[in-house]
Amino acid sequence: MYQASTSSTLSFELRNASVQEVTTLEQEPDANSPLIWKSIVDDHSLVQLLEERVRQEPAFKQQLLGYIEHSKTHKKWRTAAANAITILVRAGVQFNGADLKGVRIPGADLSHGVFDSAQLQGADLRDVDLRAVWLRHADLTGAQMSGVQFGELPYLSEDVQVMACAYSPDGKLFAVGFLNGDICVYTTLNWEKTRTWVSGPTIEFIVFSPDGDQIASASQDKTVRLWDSESGTCIQTFTGHGDCVTSVAFSPQGDQIASASDDRTVRTWNVATGRCHRLFPGHLNEAMCVMYSPNGKQLASGSVDRTVRLWNVDTGAYSHVLSGHSNLVWKVGYSPQGDQVASASGDMTVRLWDVETGACRHILSGHSSNVYSVVYSPRGDQVASGSMDGTLRLWDAETGVCLHTLTGHSEPILSVVYSPRGDQIATGSLDRAIRLWDASAGASRLVSVGHNKAVGSVKCSPKGDLIASGSSDFTIRLWDIDKGSYRQTLSGHSDSVFSLAFSPQGDRIVSGGYDQSVRIWDMESGACVLKLVGHGDPVNGVAYSPQGPQVASASEDSTVRLWNVATGVCLKILQGHTSGVMSVAYSPNGNHIASGSKDTTVRIWDVGTGECCQIFEGHTDWARDIIYSPQGDQLASAGYDNTIRLWDVQTGEPRLTLTGHGDRVACVAYSPKGDLLASGSWDKTVRLWDVATGQCRAEMQDLQGTIHGIAWSTTADGNFLITGSRVGSVLKWQIVEEEDRCCMRLRWGITNGALSVTGASVKDVQGLSEPNKQLMQQRGAICGLEHLSREADEDTIILEAEVSEPKELSDGMEMDSSSSVIDLPVERQGQLGQQIEQLPPTAV
């Protein structure tokens, strides 16, 4: 048991103990510590040093917890408490269900902290940094929250996909161009929409004139149009391009407009007359973007030919062809000083180029998909980039270091713009939202160790010590099951990994990828020891035989394959499904295999002969996931018809149909005893079912994203569920059964770096600004008394948390079959439509 220097009662649940212990110690915290009288919250190097001390010295951790506890009763401890909780959060301590009522921690940095169901009633949270914090179901009733920082403003919700955004030069107006051809203008004073007009086909790009009186738009109808920003009247239409106009830019003087087109040319136009001033041929493929230099003497353009060209505006000659990208260039942007050009590419990087020499200064790597937009901050010290992976990244322009990864969008970001003052960034996305971010934050002190895209599969090792998670970021990651600390990353797949299985001994992992391969990994070395190739489409499911060195794989090519993992030979191809096979599972004795398919059926196969023994029919949509009960007499199938079906293996008859989920059911898992079944759904909930009666015993609501993976773990400490979600999080929940009541409590979470306040109570909070209140309500916080029924019991975890590694990751981007992304018109002649159409088929 940890030694603590505190006179108050700290109740905490001990690991490896079946009962809770209450420790009362008489000594107060050290009153001579510098933590008492000096704030170190902004002293990053000192905080980092003390983080390590927390991990190494349990007594120091308890001392910090003591400062927090004592701040409840006397304000003299508030500086120490703010320092202490900042250090603990940075060290990975999570305060799930913690009793923090009345704590005084003004000015603390809780960014990226995890406070699930924490009790923060009456807490002094003035000026606290709450960026990307996890406050799901926390009770903030009566808390003081003046000056808190969430790092973002309420988002603007639209009915149509957002293609382009632009601030006016004075920052008072904000224009948005949409997929349906509409243009709207907001006033930034209160972010109210002042006017909307219809321009025609899809808007590719918009920009304000230097005086703010006009807006230029590039469109798929091969034109550039000039609009009066006040009335929305079309002043001028520029015609001449032979294909879709992809980009438009005003010269600094406002007398010229430049445009780029799919016809492979760049043109400049006289604003007053509407005549084409000059043609700039040279790109070998579609020209995707164009930008004037700050002095107006040069143009930069990017193309599908993977180059950036720098042009002399007066002569039309190009001074440099900047080569290095391995995919098309989506956007370019000049630094305010004009000495650098940034380019965003489909190769998932941003490059910073020296304008004078044409040399590449930095390659900014970190996005996991196409980078669609890039822009310099008005001061030129930062670069912001938006990607198909749904994240906004902020980079140091001098060093190329990533300062922040901001998540919140659920679909690709097409437009990124800084406000003229540089204090705000706006992003427009295909998820129909415009998000407003605080650009003033310093560099994040957290090191990202988690997935930055959707988690599609989670599995527990046979020994019960590890969790494996597979993701659409192409990796498999291993985590300590007790603390959630990061262990290892297995890399090798060239596309999403949405199926995993451990070998019976736990020394190997098999994975299935969208790259059509099955891979076998050695757990000790992390090396891929075998790659199995044969499927003609993505591999959606894999399973290890309990009998020996055999694995099964299910594929979009409508087949199941059996492989010998010692030789790599395909033993059998099981054919019969009429559509993609989504999942596969061995029976406990290894003699049979079950498979679930998009054709709505579940099939049982004889492993020895490869013959189909039975066909279970009943689902009215995909049979997405299947699993045998531990006894082998029952099979559970998760359906995209919103149901779970329990089948009698011998007769093939359905025993029960479990209904209650409000959307597609993506995954199921039996408890080790087989008496309970857990299910995860697109409705962002997890349910626990009684297998005998079909009754729903518990429901975990308000999770951030679709639950694509679920696994059961039982140890001496109790029963636990591991969940993986579309937003990239991996969470461990404890299942608590009390008489006829069953509930789930978060033990640790590897969160995705997005603000989570769903279900948090903000009743009677003091000093919370109206924008912050609106933001919290948009994210699902509640103001009424309904939160009280969700509170954690008073005698759950109080000021106790396991130390785990710092965690931060980005939004997952697995595409929903009902997603707005696929609403983009097929006839789009530019490259964006082609990119969207080439997205992998939805497997989850």
Side-chain angles (χ1 to χ4, degrees):
M1 183 171 62
Y2 294 152
Q3 296 298 311
S5 53
T6 173
S7 61
S8 60
T9 299
L10 298 179
S11 172
F12 55 92
E13 183 180 357
L14 288 175
R15 299 294 181 193
N16 303 316
S18 59
V19 296
Q20 293 179 347
E21 302 287 346
V22 176
T23 301
T24 303
L25 300 175
E26 298 303 324
Q27 184 182 354
E28 281 196 342
D30 181 9
N32 296 318
S33 169
L35 296 177
I36 303 295
W37 50 269
K38 180 181 180 181
S39 173
I40 65 165
V41 170
D42 295 324
D43 190 335
H44 296 187
S45 59
L46 182 54
V47 170
Q48 185 175 16
L49 180 67
L50 295 175
E51 290 174 34
E52 292 304 315
R53 189 177 169 192
V54 167
R55 296 189 181 97
Q56 296 168 9
E57 300 178 28
F60 179 59
K61 173 187 172 184
Q62 292 302 114
Q63 179 183 341
L64 297 180
L65 291 172
Y67 289 139
I68 299 170
E69 183 72 12
H70 275 77
S71 74
K72 297 178 180 179
T73 56
H74 202 294
K75 66 181 182 181
K76 74 176 183 180
W77 301 105
R78 61 188 179 187
T79 299
N83 289 331
I85 200 164
T86 298
I87 295 165
L88 291 168
V89 168
R90 295 279 72 76
V93 175
Q94 301 189 0
F95 293 84
N96 300 315
D99 180 2
L100 298 170
K101 300 185 191 77
V103 295
R104 294 180 173 94
I105 52 172
D109 183 356
L110 306 187
S111 60
H112 298 277
V114 182
F115 295 81
D116 192 88
S117 301
Q119 305 302 297
L120 285 156
Q121 299 95 313
D124 184 354
L125 304 178
R126 291 173 297 169
D127 300 316
V128 169
D129 190 340
L130 296 175
R131 300 167 200 266
V133 72
W134 180 287
L135 284 167
R136 175 190 166 277
H137 285 192
D139 194 338
L140 296 158
T141 301
Q144 300 178 57
M145 298 187 69
S146 60
V148 297
Q149 306 166 58
F150 288 109
E152 55 186 296
L153 294 175
Y155 61 82
L156 310 176
S157 182
E158 298 289 351
D159 296 326
V160 186
Q161 295 94 328
V162 178
M163 300 295 288
C165 304
Y167 280 95
S168 63
D170 61 7
K172 294 181 179 180
L173 298 177
F174 184 81
V176 185
F178 297 100
L179 181 71
N180 66 355
D182 287 357
I183 296 174
C184 78
V185 176
Y186 287 88
T187 173
T188 59
L189 180 65
N190 52 17
W191 288 101
E192 289 185 357
K193 191 180 295 186
T194 60
R195 50 197 168 277
T196 301
W197 63 87
V198 179
S199 71
T202 296
I203 298 296
E204 294 290 328
F205 200 81
I206 57 173
V207 63
F208 276 91
S209 61
D211 60 11
D213 293 340
Q214 298 171 336
I215 295 173
S217 63
S219 174
Q220 289 187 11
D221 65 1
K222 310 177 187 179
T223 69
V224 174
R225 285 187 167 87
L226 197 61
W227 310 87
D228 184 282
S229 60
E230 179 65 29
S231 66
T233 303
C234 183
I235 303 169
Q236 187 81 262
T237 300
F238 304 89
T239 60
H241 279 296
D243 210 330
C244 168
V245 182
T246 54
S247 183
V248 63
F250 270 100
S251 66
Q253 298 77 25
D255 58 337
Q256 284 188 3
I257 284 177
S259 58
S261 170
D262 280 352
D263 66 9
R264 306 184 180 186
T265 69
V266 171
R267 292 175 181 247
T268 55
W269 310 81
N270 185 294
V271 170
T273 66
R275 293 177 181 174
C276 179
H277 178 263
R278 190 176 298 280
L279 182 68
F280 299 77
H283 280 299
L284 305 179
N285 294 98
E286 294 95 325
M288 299 302 297
C289 51
V290 66
M291 184 69 63
Y292 275 96
S293 64
N295 62 15
K297 296 180 179 180
Q298 191 178 73
L299 283 173
S301 61
S303 169
V304 177
D305 66 13
R306 308 178 184 182
T307 69
V308 175
R309 291 182 180 243
L310 306 183
W311 310 86
N312 184 296
V313 171
D314 293 330
T315 67
Y318 58 83
S319 58
H320 290 292
V321 177
L322 310 181
S323 300
H325 283 297
S326 60
N327 207 320
L328 79 166
V329 177
W330 286 102
K331 288 291 187 297
V332 292
Y334 275 94
S335 65
Q337 298 77 21
D339 59 334
Q340 286 187 20
V341 167
S343 55
S345 171
D347 65 10
M348 302 186 285
T349 71
V350 172
R351 287 180 177 242
L352 307 185
W353 308 86
D354 186 287
V355 169
E356 185 176 350
T357 66
C360 179
R361 290 185 177 181
H362 293 292
I363 300 175
L364 313 183
S365 300
H367 284 294
S368 59
S369 192
N370 285 262
V371 186
Y372 287 140
S373 188
V374 66
V375 63
Y376 279 89
S377 64
R379 293 192 303 174
D381 58 332
Q382 285 187 356
V383 174
S385 58
S387 168
M388 188 175 181
D389 64 18
T391 69
L392 168 69
R393 286 183 176 251
L394 306 184
W395 313 83
D396 186 291
E398 182 64 29
T399 65
V401 172
C402 182
L403 304 174
H404 284 283
T405 300
L406 305 176
T407 62
H409 285 292
S410 60
E411 289 177 8
I413 296 173
L414 300 190
S415 182
V416 178
V417 289
Y418 273 92
S419 64
R421 292 192 304 174
D423 59 335
Q424 200 173 86
I425 302 172
T427 53
S429 168
L430 292 176
D431 64 8
R432 299 179 171 91
I434 299 151
R435 292 188 180 268
L436 306 172
W437 311 89
D438 183 354
S440 61
S444 172
R445 287 174 278 162
L446 293 183
V447 178
S448 176
V449 296
H451 293 292
N452 59 19
K453 295 189 74 176
V455 173
S457 180
V458 290
K459 299 295 179 183
C460 295
S461 66
K463 296 178 182 178
D465 59 335
L466 289 176
I467 294 167
S469 55
S471 169
S472 54
D473 66 8
F474 309 171
T475 70
I476 301 155
R477 295 178 191 249
L478 305 180
W479 315 92
D480 182 278
I481 200 167
D482 288 330
K483 299 181 179 181
S485 54
Y486 166 79
R487 288 285 191 88
Q488 194 174 14
T489 297
L490 309 181
S491 301
H493 280 288
S494 59
D495 211 328
S496 300
V497 182
F498 274 160
S499 53
L500 297 172
F502 278 94
S503 65
Q505 297 77 26
D507 58 337
R508 298 288 174 92
I509 287 180
V510 60
S511 60
Y514 272 23
D515 57 10
Q516 305 179 15
S517 74
V518 176
R519 292 173 183 256
I520 310 294
W521 307 84
D522 180 80
M523 289 297 295
E524 185 174 348
S525 66
C528 177
V529 296
L530 189 62
K531 179 181 177 181
L532 308 175
V533 178
H535 283 296
D537 280 305
V539 178
N540 296 323
V542 291
Y544 238 108
S545 170
Q547 289 186 343
Q550 187 185 94
V551 297
S553 57
S555 170
E556 200 70 31
D557 65 11
S558 305
T559 70
V560 174
R561 288 180 177 244
L562 306 185
W563 308 85
N564 184 310
V565 296
T567 64
V569 173
C570 179
L571 303 173
K572 291 183 177 65
I573 301 176
L574 312 183
Q575 296 178 314
H577 283 295
T578 58
S579 190
V581 187
M582 303 305 296
S583 56
V584 64
Y586 278 93
S587 62
N589 62 17
N591 294 330
H592 293 90
I593 285 176
S595 58
S597 170
K598 287 182 177 180
D599 65 13
T600 75
T601 69
V602 174
R603 289 178 178 248
I604 307 296
W605 310 82
D606 185 286
V607 171
T609 65
E611 297 296 321
C612 179
C613 308
Q614 289 176 298
I615 301 177
F616 300 168
E617 297 180 315
H619 282 295
T620 58
D621 207 332
W622 299 5
R624 176 62 188 90
D625 193 27
I626 53 172
I627 187 170
Y628 276 94
S629 66
Q631 297 77 21
D633 60 334
Q634 191 178 86
L635 189 74
S637 58
Y640 269 18
D641 56 8
N642 303 1
T643 71
I644 302 152
R645 294 177 186 259
L646 306 183
W647 308 87
D648 186 294
V649 171
Q650 293 298 320
T651 66
E653 294 298 318
R655 291 181 179 178
L656 289 170
T657 299
L658 312 181
T659 59
H661 279 297
D663 206 335
R664 292 155 286 180
V665 186
C667 51
V668 285
Y670 275 100
S671 65
K673 292 182 180 179
D675 57 334
L676 292 175
L677 184 77
S679 59
S681 168
W682 284 79
D683 65 9
K684 303 179 183 179
T685 71
V686 171
R687 285 179 175 246
L688 285 182
W689 308 86
D690 186 297
V691 170
T693 65
Q695 176 187 1
C696 180
R697 295 286 309 280
E699 181 181 16
M700 179 63 67
Q701 299 179 336
D702 302 328
L703 300 176
Q704 278 188 305
T706 301
I707 305 302
H708 289 321
I710 196 164
W712 205 288
S713 171
T714 297
T715 69
D717 294 334
N719 292 314
F720 302 90
L721 279 179
I722 315 298
T723 59
S725 78
R726 184 186 183 214
V727 297
S729 61
V730 178
L731 308 174
K732 179 182 178 181
W733 307 88
Q734 183 172 19
I735 300 168
V736 181
E737 294 190 66
E738 299 169 348
E739 298 178 357
D740 60 344
R741 180 170 168 261
C742 191
C743 63
M744 290 177 278
R745 296 170 185 158
L746 185 67
R747 295 311 301 256
W748 55 253
I750 302 159
T751 62
N752 69 338
L755 176 67
S756 177
V757 295
T758 307
S761 173
V762 292
K763 181 187 177 187
D764 298 329
V765 295
Q766 301 174 35
L768 187 66
S769 68
E770 283 303 316
N772 281 341
K773 185 179 295 184
Q774 184 182 351
L775 172 66
M776 293 190 74
Q777 290 175 337
Q778 280 184 341
R779 296 298 185 92
I782 53 181
C783 299
L785 297 174
E786 60 268 34
H787 176 79
L788 298 179
S789 63
R790 296 177 175 176
E791 287 185 4
D793 293 344
E794 290 297 321
D795 53 2
T796 58
I797 309 164
I798 301 178
L799 284 185
E800 185 277 334
E802 282 293 319
V803 181
S804 53
E805 298 296 324
K807 307 169 183 73
E808 175 190 6
L809 48 87
S810 306
D811 248 328
M813 286 304 304
E814 182 58 30
M815 296 299 154
D816 180 349
S817 59
S818 63
S819 164
S820 61
V821 172
I822 61 174
D823 291 338
L824 283 172
V826 177
E827 64 272 15
R828 162 74 160 95
Q829 295 301 305
Q831 292 295 315
L832 178 60
Q834 296 176 27
Q835 289 282 335
I836 299 301
E837 290 301 314
Q838 291 168 6
L839 287 172
T842 300
V844 293

